[in-house]
Amino acid sequence: MPEAQLAAQVADLLSVDAEEFQAAVETDTEVIKEELRAGTFDNSQAIVGFEYEFYAVARPDSDPWAGVDDAVGTLRRVPRRLLSLVGFEKELGLHNAEMTTSPQPLNAHGLAAEEAEICARLSAALDCTRPEGIELVSDGIWTIPPEGETAQNYLTDSVEDSEIRIATNMSNTARYHAMANADGTTEAGMCIEAPHVSLSADTVMPESLITSIQPHYQVPQAIDLPEYFRYAIRIAGPLLALGVNSPFFPPDLYDEDATAADILDDGWMEHRIAIFESALNPPGSERSEGKVSFPRDVDSVSQAVERIATDETIVPMPVETGNRFDDEFAHFRRKHGTYWRWVRPVLGGPTRSEANARIEFRPIAAQPTVRDSVAFLAVFAGLLESLPQVEHPVADLEWEAARDNFYAAMRNGLDAELQWITNSGEHTTDTSALYGDLLAHAAEGLRGRGLTDEDIETYLWPLRQRVRHGITPAEWKRREVQNRLEDGDDFESAVYGMQRRYVERQRESLLDGSFTDWVDDR
């Protein structure tokens, strides 16, 4: 799309009256509350869904990867025509692609269908991208910029057209660009703040460094959403610690005076959390208070709705309606799209009979393989099945402790000291006790949905192995970089070598292996 046309679209978005938009949101809120009272969002089926983000890199012309040229593994922009051909959606950056699976019942067939759909669509997508010299990568953060470019320039390059700032490497979706041009009380930070990294931009493009998976779990009775939400908040830290996968930035983003030892000593296991928060939160906002934050408990489903409705609006965008059921509250749906909490409630559905209340879980980075990613879906769903049913006492863990767990996991992964309350009521920070209890309840929840012990072990095995070996994808990356430094590589070469090795290992195991294989042959 020509820049002038995109700038005109952004200008149209910015012309929407903020007060009128918010008034429409509040009207929609009353519609939702009325439907809640009528039981419309009650849906006794246990349903799960999944969102899966990827980024693209240059692939070698032939296997193996040994001896390939420097272009291999560099970030690549994905031709928009390819996305439409493979049924993927645009994400923030031109290098991004996103898949959303069809919702499935939470049972053995449903989880198998989720994994099969991911593999089928991803396999078809790879068949289309390979002739273009492109590999889709499942990872938490990219570290090798496009050939001949720096990461800083790629993330900050922008132009101005008719006083509208347009990010050069951002998808041509007007709402992404509008956030950089909004003139309201709430503004995105458009920066990155992390140990030894400080990057400022004129757009929200720095957020495109990161990719994630997002499991969804449907609550049977909407009125019970606060209870399920409370448990989801308390498992966020432990599950994040298992899934950390973004310990390094592109090397050119680090401060010039930062040494490799400084970066390894001070770096965090999941920089994705800090990137998302600093890129989209208002400058100077406190954690748990910004647009992207660790959510607070809710006392009622109505309070959850009100929190979304009253959340600060960066860009009040126009809304188109159609014949879907949730078009009856289309302004609220639009508002929800920028309600960026690490765990968030969702109310919607294409038809009245399919209307549902569900929980979207956003802390986990994209994982090394499909099997690892689906493991998190299964464990998350199993826990939300089991914990409320047994009235697990971890619900009594103070919210502040759950929040502290989350950020400790962000910093230290499985080495974090996390607070937990076991099923017997024991307060503990012992990692073995925590994960023994957590995974046992995930298994019990899946067993209650009809999965066999063999099925359950298949889904839980990748995460059990992480606990057993004390290694996560982030720790694997750190060890790779440390080994390369010890062999004489400079820091940039060590990070690039690690990243290429990650992609090489993923190519061997993405569709039918797991990170467990990487651990076993380390």
Side-chain angles (χ1 to χ4, degrees):
M1 180 185 298
E3 289 170 356
Q5 185 179 348
L6 180 57
Q9 290 186 4
V10 173
D12 286 343
L13 290 186
L14 298 174
S15 68
V16 174
D17 183 88
E19 292 184 0
E20 290 181 5
F21 177 83
Q22 185 59 30
V25 171
E26 292 169 4
T27 298
D28 287 355
T29 301
E30 294 306 313
V31 173
I32 293 173
K33 289 181 178 179
E34 181 60 34
E35 297 291 356
L36 285 167
R37 287 189 288 269
T40 305
F41 293 100
D42 297 343
N43 195 323
S44 59
Q45 289 193 80
I47 300 289
V48 291
F50 204 63
E51 298 174 63
Y52 202 149
E53 297 170 355
F54 301 83
Y55 64 77
V57 302
R59 70 182 307 274
D61 292 330
S62 60
D63 295 326
W65 276 47
V68 298
D69 63 56
D70 290 341
V72 172
T74 57
L75 200 69
R76 283 287 304 270
R77 298 164 177 86
V78 183
R80 303 294 90 178
R81 61 179 175 78
L82 273 185
L83 288 182
S84 60
L85 283 175
V86 301
F88 277 51
E89 302 166 25
K90 291 185 289 187
E91 247 296 332
L92 186 68
L94 292 177
H95 56 278
N96 291 130
E98 182 178 27
M99 175 199 307
T100 300
T101 65
S102 307
Q104 297 289 343
L106 176 55
N107 55 36
H109 298 297
L111 285 173
E114 287 287 323
E115 184 169 0
E117 180 180 357
I118 293 169
C119 288
R121 294 176 60 186
L122 180 55
S123 179
L126 292 172
D127 288 342
C128 289
T129 59
R130 285 189 185 113
E132 304 282 342
I134 293 173
E135 193 86 28
L136 293 178
V137 178
S138 175
D139 192 7
I141 185 171
W142 56 266
T143 57
I144 310 179
E147 186 179 13
E149 302 178 57
T150 65
Q152 180 166 346
N153 287 341
Y154 182 82
L155 294 169
T156 61
D157 193 23
S158 66
V159 297
E160 191 171 282
D161 190 294
S162 302
E163 300 184 343
I164 298 295
R165 178 63 57 181
I166 300 295
T168 306
N169 296 303
M170 190 182 291
S171 295
N172 60 0
T173 301
R175 63 187 177 91
Y176 294 145
H177 297 272
M179 286 188 282
N181 294 278
D183 185 21
T185 57
T186 299
E187 297 178 357
M190 299 184 289
C191 65
I192 296 174
E193 296 177 358
H196 304 294
V197 174
S198 181
L199 175 74
S200 295
D202 293 324
T203 72
V204 297
M205 186 64 186
E207 194 260 321
S208 72
L209 268 170
I210 56 177
T211 44
S212 67
I213 56 173
Q214 295 157 32
H216 289 240
Y217 173 87
Q218 181 174 294
V219 176
Q221 302 291 320
I223 195 173
D224 295 327
L225 185 142
E227 180 184 12
Y228 287 86
F229 195 69
R230 186 177 184 88
Y231 281 113
I233 288 171
R234 279 147 187 81
I235 63 176
L239 291 186
L240 172 61
L242 279 175
V244 288
N245 194 20
S246 55
F248 295 107
F249 286 87
D252 73 87
L253 296 186
Y254 287 102
D255 299 335
E256 289 186 5
D257 60 352
T259 66
D262 293 335
I263 293 167
L264 287 166
D265 288 345
D266 302 332
W268 298 334
M269 288 296 199
E270 193 57 83
H271 286 117
R272 174 179 161 267
I273 302 297
I275 292 169
F276 199 29
E277 290 187 347
S278 58
L280 294 175
N281 281 343
S285 61
E286 295 293 327
R287 280 185 176 145
S288 305
E289 301 297 337
K291 290 283 294 178
V292 183
S293 60
F294 190 75
R296 295 187 177 274
D297 295 320
V298 293
D299 296 327
S300 67
V301 65
S302 292
Q303 185 183 55
V305 172
E306 289 164 0
R307 285 196 181 165
I308 297 168
T310 58
D311 192 48
E312 293 287 349
T313 301
I314 294 181
V315 181
M317 291 173 282
V319 172
E320 295 182 2
T321 59
N323 297 320
R324 289 172 55 109
F325 162 70
D326 46 19
D327 283 333
E328 295 180 17
F329 43 91
H331 285 82
F332 179 90
R333 285 176 60 205
R334 176 71 79 183
K335 184 72 174 281
H336 180 272
T338 58
Y339 184 72
W340 296 306
R341 302 305 190 270
W342 290 113
V343 185
R344 67 180 182 180
V346 185
L347 291 106
T351 66
R352 187 173 295 274
S353 63
E354 295 176 283
N356 64 84
R358 62 188 187 272
I359 294 173
E360 180 183 357
F361 194 69
R362 302 166 61 84
I364 308 300
Q367 296 295 300
T369 73
V370 170
R371 189 164 298 164
D372 292 291
S373 298
V374 174
F376 278 101
L377 170 63
V379 168
F380 174 65
L383 287 169
L384 290 195
E385 278 288 309
S386 174
L387 299 181
Q389 288 183 12
V390 302
E391 298 182 351
H392 194 288
V394 78
D396 295 327
L397 185 70
E398 293 292 334
W399 175 84
E400 289 81 4
R403 175 201 58 195
D404 292 346
N405 279 350
F406 184 79
Y407 290 107
M410 174 196 77
R411 292 188 293 271
N412 298 314
L414 284 176
D415 289 333
E417 184 175 282
L418 305 180
Q419 302 179 58
W420 186 254
I421 304 176
T422 66
N423 193 48
S424 63
E426 177 189 359
H427 288 251
T428 185
T429 57
D430 179 76
T431 299
S432 296
L434 187 165
Y435 286 107
D437 188 63
L438 182 144
L439 293 175
H441 282 87
E444 193 58 32
L446 295 174
R447 190 171 292 112
R449 300 306 308 175
L451 275 75
T452 66
D453 288 344
E454 183 179 357
D455 292 334
I456 292 167
E457 193 57 25
T458 297
Y459 288 116
L460 267 56
W461 178 252
L463 302 188
R464 287 195 195 281
Q465 287 294 87
R466 295 187 188 192
V467 176
R468 183 174 291 121
H469 289 282
I471 188 168
T472 59
E475 181 61 29
W476 181 91
K477 290 178 175 180
R478 284 177 58 88
R479 292 183 187 183
E480 282 283 319
V481 168
Q482 287 173 321
N483 290 339
R484 292 169 190 277
L485 290 170
E486 291 170 3
D487 288 342
D489 282 3
D490 60 31
F491 181 71
E492 180 181 278
S493 298
V495 172
Y496 286 4
M498 172 278 294
Q499 193 67 61
R500 290 188 171 104
R501 178 59 177 159
Y502 179 98
V503 176
E504 180 184 10
R505 291 297 283 117
Q506 185 171 103
R507 295 182 76 230
E508 300 164 358
S509 55
L510 177 59
L511 297 175
D512 55 10
S514 79
F515 178 65
T516 299
D517 304 327
W518 305 17
V519 174
D520 288 344
D521 71 3
R522 71 188 187 281

